[in-house]
């Protein structure tokens, strides 16, 4: 059957991020950091965060529900549900089992339209406007302690920032080499940056994306690829004798490569940086949030274009792959995907918290993390209609969610989940 | 490509369980439980446990290494590594990234033969002696709090035993119904218990396996399947009017169905119960440990036979699927798989702990769980040659492992993992 399916890829997307955020410039000042440390040093504009009424489960519920409703997809048409997350709420019970509620609820009645959104939900299938070119995929895995969460009772990770950046760039090089090898073998010509129209990166912070794209230029230079002109070659020549390790540490190379790649970065990368810069690190969702930015910015001109994707997870596992885009047919068209995601409006309608209130919220969240036997404020005044939110964690740690009502939706309490319904 | 591959399934298996265990009869007495509570009530004989030198990572390292070595598989031939586990050591860094060490180590030199074994490792590919009949697969998912681990700092789960059993049996019914529907549609005849030679269950404790097989008999009775003879029909008839809920709660039905199914249970299920009864609940590995028992007991007579598999994970997700077995070609033959797994010898060479020492070990493990900045005893005297073991968790929570030397292997310290090697 698989061999008859063409253009398998992303048919539909929905994105959700919390409506609560703090501006990096404000946070910078509040933290007593030097001016520009977060906004230029990290390249970030804003950071979204969950308040006590949202978590990974509520955001997933919101995104999946919204995708099904807005594209008119019957849950019964879904053959497989894959959930990716870096966040652990329970060490045994999976997020997927919470999402099954959606399929059960819908199975019992007609889909109810809502106006909300959540994390990233994607529908995968044939005849997609965003088609995988899977033959070129290049992967890299290694055992590293660059970012990890060994303290099971804490929300916070252990991070070795410098190591993490080096690991990321090494994985990028390795994946790019493999991608180029496969491309060369299958297409009979050398791949270069010129052969992709856009580049989308896993984006923990924007500065790393800038460095990564510059690194690909340096790689193309070392490969003597056609994308690198004479002027660029001259600027990069002094670094051609660096060892691999030296090249990851050289600030001069970093600067030269960023300078050389700047016009190309503005054209091929910037359109895919909006949401990561505005929302912050989304971990598993990061690369698709970057991709959603590209759809948002360029949906009218993407047909026929190739997008190179670089996915990275600390620990570490990375893959470079590519999409070939097509206009698509309603409801699964690029313009409708942009329309459904409605990124501009979602960003605009956010609520900026002052730093004191942000810090207070984080303290409350730390206190609640892993806790039981409490009810939340149930204050969903900042949430869009149709958004799921946490109402209670009972004495048995069972989590209860409700859905905020809206113009076209009714407020509902979720299944309490204490009993399987035998579907 | 997929369409050209035939008999995709399990080519090779290896199983590892810790060499340390306690007999249920001894534990029963020590706990002051009534005689037979664990051995008959749960149907369990023995329970394996990790001491401070073993964990989910060391066992995975041992199993995967051993599989590659004993079947002579070059790590470079492996296209994809899938890891399934219910155990969380780190909330972000995956077990898979630890296992990548194996592939890196091997990539650097010739494979070094060892004599050890770990958890369950399986090699999947075409022309397999254990081939999936994937067209009949029946799945069931639901949102339930039957068994979960919400306390992130604790090793122990929250379990609702009664609910968990009901969830399990409901999922079994649902999966069996779907499996039978697909079989009927594709084969043009009704499926019954007679159409499979063996039944393998996810086995948290043996008693549940007994109840499950009895439940399938009751299902066949309700479906008026050919497997149920007149005598059995008479015994089950009084329960034909029970509602679904009532049928899950009825002890009388449970007894009658177990009685009716007993000869069939002895023939079709018992051969797949050895390891789960001897080792205990292995969570993700449980169903394949049960299946390994079948290979161990019956490898000479399995060619041409069908094995029905029931997989279950609390929370919950369940699938029923089937294998069609063939003799296979060396090294990927049923008899060689039995030979490599060497289950009889592994069970025989275990060390039974007295209850006091067992309790002491568990206390030590609780104390160490989630801890950092310690070295273990490095006492690997009870471990088989080639077994990986934990030596240290440093102040940054980084975990270090070593491999016990043996006749054909050299003792090595593992990569410390603090630096990616850029493969």
């Amino acid at each position: 059957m698989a061999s008859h399916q063409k253009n398998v890829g992303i048919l539909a997307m929905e994105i959700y991020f919390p409506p609560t955020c703090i501006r990096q410039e404000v946070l910078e000042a509040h933290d007593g950091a030097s001016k520009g440390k977060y906004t230029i040093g990290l390249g970030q504009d804003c950071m979204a965060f969950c308040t006590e009424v949202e978590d990974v489960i509520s955001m997933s519920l919101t995104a999946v529900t919204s995708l099904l409703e807005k594209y008119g997809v019957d849950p019964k048409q879904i053959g497989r549900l894959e959930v990716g997350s870096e966040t652990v709420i329970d060490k045994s019970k999976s997020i997927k089992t919470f999402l099954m509620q959606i399929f059960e609820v819908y199975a019992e009645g007609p889909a109810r339209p809502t106006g909300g959104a959540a994390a990233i939900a994607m529908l995968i299938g044939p005849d997609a406007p965003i088609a995988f070119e899977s033959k070129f995929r290049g992967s890299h895995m290694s055992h590293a302690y660059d970012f990890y969460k060994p303290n099971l009772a804490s929300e916070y990770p252990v991070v070795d920032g410098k190591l993490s950046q080096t690991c990321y760039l090494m994985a990028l090089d390795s994946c790019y080499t493999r991608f180029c090898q496969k491309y060369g073998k299958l297409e009979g010509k050398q791949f270069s940056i010129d052969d992709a129209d856009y580049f989308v990166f896993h984006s923990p912070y924007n500065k790393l994306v800038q460095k990564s794209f510059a690194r690909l230029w340096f790689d193309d230079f070392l490969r003597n690829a056609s994308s690198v002109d004479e002027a660029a070659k001259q600027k990069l020549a002094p670094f051609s004798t660096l060892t691999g390790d030296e090249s990851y540490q050289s600030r001069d190379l970093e600067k030269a490569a960023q300078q050389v790649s700047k016009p190309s970065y503005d054209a091929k990368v910037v359109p895919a940086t909006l949401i990561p810069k505005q929302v912050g690190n989304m971990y598993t969702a990061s690369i698709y949030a970057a991709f959603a930015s590209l759809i948002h910015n360029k949906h009218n001109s993407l047909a026929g274009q190739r997008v190179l994707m670089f996915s990275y997870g600390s620990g570490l596992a990375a893959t470079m792959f590519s999409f070939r885009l097509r206009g698509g047919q309603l409801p699964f068209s690029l313009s409708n995907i942009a329309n459904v995601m409605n990124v501009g409006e979602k960003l605009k309608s956010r609520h900026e918290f002052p730093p004191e209130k942000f810090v207070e919220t984080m303290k409350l969240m730390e206190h609640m993390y892993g806790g039981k036997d409490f009810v939340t404020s149930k204050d969903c005044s900042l949430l869009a209609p149709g958004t799921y939110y946490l109402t209670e964690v009972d004495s048995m740690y069972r989590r209860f969610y409700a859905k905020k009502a809206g113009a076209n939706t009714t407020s509902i309490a979720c299944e309490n989940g204490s009993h399987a319904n035998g579907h």
Side-chain angles (χ1 to χ4, degrees), chain A residues 116-130:
Chain A
I120 300 270
M122 294 184 287
L123 178 65
I124 309 294
D127 305 319
I130 303 158

Side-chain angles (χ1 to χ4, degrees), chain A residues 3 5 22 37 52 61 70 91 102 105 137 143 164 179 193 210 218 223 248 251 276 280 287 296 318 358 374 381:
Chain A
S3 58
Q5 296 184 336
I22 182 164
K37 184 166 185 189
E52 49 141 9
L61 285 166
K70 289 187 179 159
K91 292 190 291 181
I102 294 171
V105 168
R137 193 177 56 223
H143 172 37
S164 189
F179 184 94
I193 286 172
Q210 297 172 35
F218 183 59
R223 297 166 61 237
Y248 295 114
R251 297 294 293 262
I287 184 175
H296 166 69
F358 168 70
F374 63 85
S381 57

Side-chain angles (χ1 to χ4, degrees), chain A residues 25-81:
Chain A
E25 199 178 354
V26 170
L27 194 59
E28 214 169 66
H30 178 262
D31 290 355
S34 57
K35 188 158 174 57
K37 184 166 185 189
Y38 302 164
T39 50
I40 297 163
L42 294 175
Q44 293 295 103
D45 295 334
C46 213
M47 180 171 67
F49 55 88
C50 284
T51 64
E52 49 141 9
V53 292
E54 294 195 275
D55 63 20
V56 60
I57 294 164
S58 70
M59 291 196 294
S60 304
L61 285 166
T62 305
V64 173
T65 306
S66 178
L67 182 145
L68 295 174
E69 291 177 352
K70 289 187 179 159
Y71 292 89
V73 176
D74 184 335
K76 286 180 187 157
Q77 294 176 273
I78 306 294
R80 185 178 180 92
L81 178 68

Side-chain angles (χ1 to χ4, degrees), chain A residues 94-244:
Chain A
S94 69
I95 296 171
K96 193 188 283 195
T97 61
F98 284 91
L99 291 174
M100 288 315 292
Q101 288 177 97
I102 294 171
F103 295 86
E104 289 163 9
V105 168
Y106 280 106
E108 285 162 1
R112 304 176 196 112
T114 75
I120 300 270
M122 294 184 287
L123 178 65
I124 309 294
D127 305 319
I130 303 158
F132 293 106
E133 295 186 303
S134 47
K135 58 188 173 179
F136 302 140
R137 193 177 56 223
S139 290
H140 169 89
M141 292 189 70
S142 189
H143 172 37
Y145 281 102
D146 54 338
F147 172 109
Y148 51 115
K149 291 183 171 176
N151 185 344
L152 300 172
S154 164
E155 274 192 287
Y156 301 115
V158 176
V159 191
D160 182 336
K162 186 73 193 155
L163 174 65
S164 189
Q165 183 178 303
T166 304
C167 285
Y168 184 104
L169 294 174
M170 288 170 94
L172 177 70
D173 284 350
S174 174
C175 289
Y176 189 55
T177 300
R178 287 173 196 198
F179 184 94
C180 291
Q181 278 168 355
K182 286 193 186 170
Y183 184 94
K185 199 170 163 186
L186 292 164
E187 300 291 304
K189 57 182 179 181
Q190 189 188 37
F191 183 88
S192 83
I193 286 172
D194 288 345
D195 292 304
D197 300 287
Y198 295 100
F199 290 76
V200 175
F201 296 87
H202 170 71
S203 310
Y205 51 95
N206 179 258
K207 191 75 177 188
L208 187 55
V209 174
Q210 297 172 35
K211 290 180 185 177
S212 296
F213 189 67
R215 183 82 199 178
L216 293 183
W217 267 76
F218 183 59
D219 289 340
D220 265 12
F221 162 71
L222 293 178
R223 297 166 61 237
N224 203 19
S226 58
S227 53
V228 184
D229 62 23
E230 283 308 317
K233 278 183 191 166
Q234 281 187 13
K235 287 207 174 108
L236 295 173
F239 309 101
S240 61
T241 56
L242 293 182
T243 65

